[in-house]
Amino acid sequence: MNSNFHLLIRDTWIELPDVQAGVAKSLSRASSSMETVGGFRYEQHAPKANASWVVDTGLRDAEVSRWLTYAATGRAGAVWLYDVQAAQANMLGEAQTQGSSATLVTVEGVPMPAFGSGVSSTRKVRTGVAYSLSYSTTHTAAATIGTYDVGAGAVDIVAPAGTGSRRGSTAFVPAADGECEIVWTVADVTSGARLSEGSVSDSSFLPGENTPCRVVVSDRSQRIDFVYSDRLSRSTASFEIREVG
Amino acid sequence: MRALPEGWPATDEPDQASPRAYFHMVDGSWPPASTTGAGESLPDGWAEVGQWEEVRELQALLLPGQVRGASGFATATGSCTIKHPDAGMFAPWRRGTERVPAGGECELWLSHDGYDGSTAFLLGSYILAPIKGRALSREITLDLKENLAKFQRPHNLLPGPGDGSVGVSGWDYLVSSAERLGFAVEYDGSGSDTVQALRFPGEDSVLSTWRDMVSSLLGAFYLSPDGQTAVLRTFDYLSGDAAETETLDVLTQFEDLQWSMDPGEVVDRIVLTYIPATFGRAVIWTAADGLSVPSLSSITVEFDPTVPVPDAAEGQTTIDGNAAAVGGGTASSLPVSITVLSSGRFQMKITNPNGSRRYLVTPAGLPSTYTVTGADTSTDETKRVLTWGATESKSVNPLSLDMGHVVQSETDAQNILNRVVSRVSTPSTLLPSVRVLPHVGRELTDVCRVDYSSEGLNSKALVTSLTTRGGPGYVEQAVGLALLPLLVRDFNEAWDLVDPSAIVDDFNDHWNSIDPSADLDAFNDDPMNAP
């Protein structure tokens, strides 16, 4: 099954197989703007954007959308959504793909602030899925620039061969559902981090999409179409899923 | 104005990220530790804020819009919202960490890199006022107000300067009172009046005595945002004698320029009254009927001297005592010592070294008294009057100012009258709250310059109100400004004329040296446009 969405309910990943194509995903970032007497416009914006998805389950019975309905009741504890399309791009949050140092590292031609020492980021990962962590670094070849830990102990991240700013990558497959913690241990040498899913072997940089993220599922809106007496009736259902936290 | 830490975007940066706001209870374990959406772990005592607001307003006599106001005091209030924890609602009836506290000192912080990052900036320090919540709301609202707890105590203004000096400025009395209350003091030392001795009733609070003094001295007072410093501004400072903190260019920094000017504030007659001090002998305490001191012990009495007693005043060292309650018995002189707690609270300790009780009566049976030589004897409250402007029968818009005991000499009263005249003889302009590009370090009484040269406005202004609010994706600020009229001092500074008494000669020399053919019309058009 290649579905785009997985729900995490009480630390268990559940695939959502029957979400129809054409999911509308939108990002919204709080902002305000002011225009002065002289016509100069100034904008402010929040440091983080929030995503929301509108998913449709097509003309199906209630079994198809049962886990989304359950998550919407609010009794499922903390619910997380894993968006495969976003995970293939970059699972890290927008603030986790680069650091805040004054030193810049060129990531495929674009300078970005480097990570300081000890900066860490954590992402939930799924067992059996191939993940790839790529990064740009200027550090000496074969030197350790950080570690990642998927529950089996910290594994070194090593700078690739070559000199100057270059892209390196490392791959892993987690043995169990859990979290991947990435810690950059050397200051001012690494930036442009990308944690991505799948066998896509391209290691170039893509901006962070922040998945999986904690979400709230709205109660379904439903159009009842076919009612049977001997099996579950069919309706089209759509849910709105919003990123929270 | 306070400088922002490194890492804050410049005020005029056209595209900026807004900071995050945090609420912190000082010395508290509430709010409970939490993790913000951004993954930041906050310890006990910290919470991320949803929306916040801070309003600071200054009321100072003679500012536009407040000509007849005002106490010279600033008020600060605020509010913020924090969300309920996942585990359950915050409420006063809960137990454990969800129980809201009964009150306490708290702070609002803004930061771009976390609650303890290097860009964290203290917006203000408050105490909790009402906390409100609703069952259907994800957050509770905390109202905040300035921590004026120390100001509710009985005042501690000493009757005299306290350091042996004779006659210092009323501001120096306030500085010493502030320091003894535990505040650091910011004061530019420009008070030029002379107060020989002061007295306020003993039970008056710090707040009411300071208000009387600050408004009599035509100044202003506010507590710094961190609650630690008492900021005292003299009249000279409030009329613009201070370094300009910034230039506000209307075209690039104001959303709109609103102004108002009230012709009703032009005054055509000023009556200033004051009560000078006359120093001589004064009785400051009389024993109550039947008051006695047991043998071989002492009593301590606290009383209000009812008159100002300067430091140099001399009091008795003994007081009449008598073995018989109606006098006529063995008379003794009982040693007495005085401790000054404040200008309205004196403590007197009377000791009886004799073997039997002594009543505090004179040999003739009259109550014993304590007399001071050098105290203010003007108990009849006769006011002196200085006037300016039209006569009473002809004036349409008079202003009365009563300076009470705080102004004690005619020179000081005349100086104050001159300053008031400069303020109210022409109407001044108020820019009520206008939205400007925010700078969270701005403070009340900042002297800044408003520049709208294309419309002919280039004037010093005083910040009299600040409303700062923020929430997701925004920080907004509205500033209320009083345009300060030009004074001779400003003219002298613009033309670099150092000694005002030689102004005419200096000015002519200066004018001729610039350009003998310089045009008088150009000067009349804008006298401040010094080459």
Side-chain angles (χ1 to χ4, degrees):
Chain A
M1 284 269 196
N2 287 324
S3 96
N4 189 56
F5 292 108
H6 300 255
L7 271 185
L8 181 78
I9 296 179
R10 299 198 175 88
D11 292 330
T12 310
W13 286 108
I14 302 150
E15 194 175 357
L16 297 179
D18 291 298
V19 169
Q20 276 203 325
V23 171
K25 175 179 178 184
S26 63
L27 292 168
S28 77
R29 187 185 299 260
S31 70
S32 85
S33 114
M34 174 175 135
E35 195 167 316
T36 67
V37 173
F40 297 89
R41 177 180 294 173
Y42 294 88
E43 296 250 341
Q44 289 180 332
H45 51 83
K48 180 174 175 291
N50 290 314
S52 66
W53 299 259
V54 177
V55 303
D56 237 302
T57 56
L59 189 57
R60 314 299 288 274
D61 58 40
E63 186 166 341
V64 161
S65 57
R66 57 184 169 160
W67 297 122
L68 285 169
T69 310
Y70 177 59
T73 63
R75 292 177 164 77
V79 177
W80 292 67
L81 183 76
Y82 186 102
D83 180 347
V84 171
Q85 169 267 331
Q88 286 172 349
N90 187 344
M91 293 167 69
L92 295 172
E94 49 180 276
Q96 297 169 327
T97 60
Q98 64 181 45
S100 50
S101 168
T103 315
L104 302 175
V105 168
T106 314
V107 176
E108 298 187 282
V110 176
M112 290 187 193
F115 291 111
S117 167
V119 170
S120 73
S121 27
T122 311
R123 293 278 105 184
K124 292 192 194 294
V125 290
R126 290 164 38 225
T127 179
V129 175
Y131 289 99
S132 157
L133 172 65
S134 60
Y135 40 88
S136 289
T137 184
T138 53
H139 209 30
T140 5
T144 306
I145 51 175
T147 62
Y148 72 87
D149 183 350
V150 285
V155 177
D156 283 343
I157 304 169
V158 166
T163 55
S165 167
R166 59 224 185 263
R167 203 111 184 116
S169 71
T170 176
F172 57 90
V173 178
D177 287 338
E179 293 197 330
C180 170
E181 187 186 3
I182 303 163
V183 182
W184 302 104
T185 51
V186 181
D188 297 348
V189 292
T190 314
S191 191
R194 173 188 179 200
L195 177 66
S196 56
E197 170 194 299
S199 52
V200 178
S201 59
D202 184 7
S203 68
S204 44
F205 176 74
L206 282 146
E209 304 263 349
N210 196 33
T211 196
C213 59
R214 175 100 186 261
V215 294
V216 149
V217 181
S218 71
D219 289 295
R220 90 178 153 244
S221 74
Q222 188 179 6
R223 199 185 75 191
I224 305 169
D225 280 319
F226 293 127
V227 176
Y228 305 100
S229 57
D230 57 344
R231 57 193 133 127
L232 287 170
S233 307
R234 290 193 180 196
S235 32
T236 44
S238 89
F239 296 85
E240 188 190 351
I241 306 175
R242 291 188 299 276
E243 179 181 349
V244 293
Chain B
M1 169 177 271
R2 291 177 293 153
L4 295 175
E6 278 249 356
W8 278 72
T11 306
D12 57 356
E13 173 60 46
D15 179 16
Q16 350 178 328
S18 55
R20 292 201 162 96
Y22 300 93
F23 171 79
H24 173 48
M25 293 255 348
V26 178
D27 301 337
S29 58
W30 186 90
S34 58
T35 308
T36 69
E40 191 184 354
S41 294
L42 296 175
D44 281 345
W46 290 84
E48 193 178 15
V49 165
Q51 287 169 320
W52 53 272
E53 177 179 70
E54 200 186 59
V55 178
R56 294 182 189 269
E57 278 175 4
L58 177 68
Q59 300 170 347
L61 211 57
L62 307 183
L63 286 182
Q66 303 175 36
V67 164
R68 287 186 175 66
S71 57
F73 264 47
T75 54
T77 55
S79 74
C80 68
T81 63
I82 62 176
K83 72 173 181 55
H84 293 297
D86 290 338
M89 268 174 25
F90 284 134
W93 55 82
R94 302 283 295 227
R95 297 278 171 263
T97 54
E98 281 102 40
R99 184 190 184 85
V100 296
E105 290 182 10
C106 51
E107 296 171 339
L108 277 181
W109 287 82
L110 296 178
S111 170
H112 286 277
D113 63 350
Y115 77 99
D116 58 351
S118 58
T119 61
F121 181 76
L122 176 64
L123 191 66
S125 154
Y126 304 93
I127 50 178
L128 281 180
I131 308 175
K132 306 170 198 164
R134 285 165 39 203
L136 292 179
S137 169
R138 277 295 288 168
E139 37 192 28
I140 59 173
T141 305
L142 303 158
D143 283 342
L144 308 167
K145 61 182 184 192
E146 214 170 10
N147 185 0
L148 293 177
K150 285 184 188 174
F151 288 77
Q152 310 303 330
R153 303 177 191 167
H155 75 92
N156 69 347
L157 282 162
L158 292 176
D163 57 356
S165 52
V166 178
V168 297
S169 163
W171 289 107
D172 292 315
Y173 286 77
L174 282 173
V175 168
S176 131
S177 169
E179 283 169 352
R180 278 176 296 110
L181 283 173
F183 292 111
V185 178
E186 189 181 322
Y187 164 63
D188 64 356
S190 64
S192 59
D193 55 312
T194 307
V195 175
Q196 308 276 15
L198 265 190
R199 178 215 152 237
F200 288 100
E203 292 315 307
D204 279 3
S205 64
V206 175
L207 191 68
S208 78
T209 54
W210 281 37
R211 273 192 185 173
D212 275 347
M213 290 213 58
V214 169
S215 65
S216 298
L217 295 168
L218 300 181
F221 156 79
Y222 68 95
L223 262 191
S224 66
D226 64 3
Q228 307 295 330
T229 306
V231 182
L232 299 170
R233 299 293 190 215
T234 58
F235 184 89
D236 282 343
Y237 187 101
L238 294 178
S239 63
D241 188 9
E244 286 172 20
T245 56
E246 59 178 336
T247 299
L248 293 171
D249 180 350
V250 170
L251 284 179
T252 60
Q253 293 187 305
F254 277 46
E255 193 184 37
D256 190 1
L257 185 64
Q258 256 185 300
W259 52 266
S260 87
M261 185 205 79
D262 184 3
E265 286 182 352
V266 176
V267 165
D268 61 355
R269 173 177 166 80
I270 304 174
V271 176
L272 189 149
T273 53
Y274 66 100
I275 304 177
T278 321
F279 294 100
R281 278 188 59 150
V283 170
I284 64 171
W285 178 79
T286 307
D289 273 346
L291 188 61
S292 68
V293 188
S295 73
L296 300 171
S297 65
S298 60
I299 58 169
T300 308
V301 215
E302 190 172 302
F303 65 95
D304 185 339
T306 68
V307 290
V309 178
D311 287 348
E314 287 176 16
Q316 299 164 199
T317 49
T318 61
I319 197 167
D320 285 329
N322 203 289
V326 295
T330 324
S332 350
S333 290
L334 305 176
V336 70
S337 74
I338 297 262
T339 312
V340 175
L341 298 178
S342 82
S343 66
R345 286 172 28 223
F346 281 27
Q347 263 185 1
M348 180 162 66
K349 182 168 171 180
I350 309 168
T351 316
N352 180 4
N354 301 294
S356 59
R357 180 176 291 266
R358 289 290 179 270
Y359 293 85
L360 290 169
V361 289
T362 63
L366 298 170
S368 306
T369 57
Y370 189 90
T371 308
V372 165
T373 310
D376 183 353
T377 54
S378 54
T379 53
D380 60 350
E381 303 282 303
T382 304
K383 297 182 182 177
R384 299 265 182 85
V385 175
L386 287 180
T387 59
W388 170 89
T391 56
E392 193 170 347
S393 51
K394 299 230 168 75
S395 91
V396 201
N397 200 13
L399 174 68
S400 306
L401 295 169
D402 180 11
M403 300 297 167
H405 283 282
V406 178
V407 173
Q408 294 181 345
S409 76
E410 183 164 351
T411 320
D412 290 339
Q414 191 63 55
N415 280 340
I416 290 183
L417 185 64
N418 293 344
R419 288 168 177 167
V420 174
V421 169
S422 73
R423 246 327 149 68
V424 298
S425 50
T426 53
S428 45
T429 308
L430 172 70
L431 304 181
S433 242
V434 283
R435 189 171 160 201
V436 297
L437 290 186
H439 184 306
V440 293
R442 288 194 179 113
E443 286 184 18
L444 292 175
T445 73
D446 275 352
V447 171
C448 57
R449 178 163 290 277
V450 175
D451 182 2
Y452 196 8
S453 311
S454 56
E455 295 292 322
L457 172 65
N458 187 327
S459 166
K460 273 194 196 176
L462 186 74
V463 174
T464 59
S465 80
L466 274 178
T467 304
T468 317
R469 20 224 287 274
Y474 71 94
V475 172
E476 285 175 8
Q477 189 172 58
V479 169
L481 296 165
L483 291 186
L484 297 174
L486 288 177
L487 302 175
V488 174
R489 174 190 66 223
D490 301 310
F491 180 80
N492 289 346
E493 278 171 15
W495 284 82
D496 215 10
L497 301 171
V498 174
D499 176 6
S501 63
I503 184 174
V504 174
D505 294 336
D506 279 354
F507 178 70
N508 284 336
D509 290 343
H510 206 83
W511 184 253
N512 287 327
S513 72
I514 295 157
D515 179 359
S517 66
D519 195 283
L520 192 58
D521 284 337
F523 172 76
N524 285 338
D525 215 22
D526 182 6
M528 291 301 287
N529 188 12

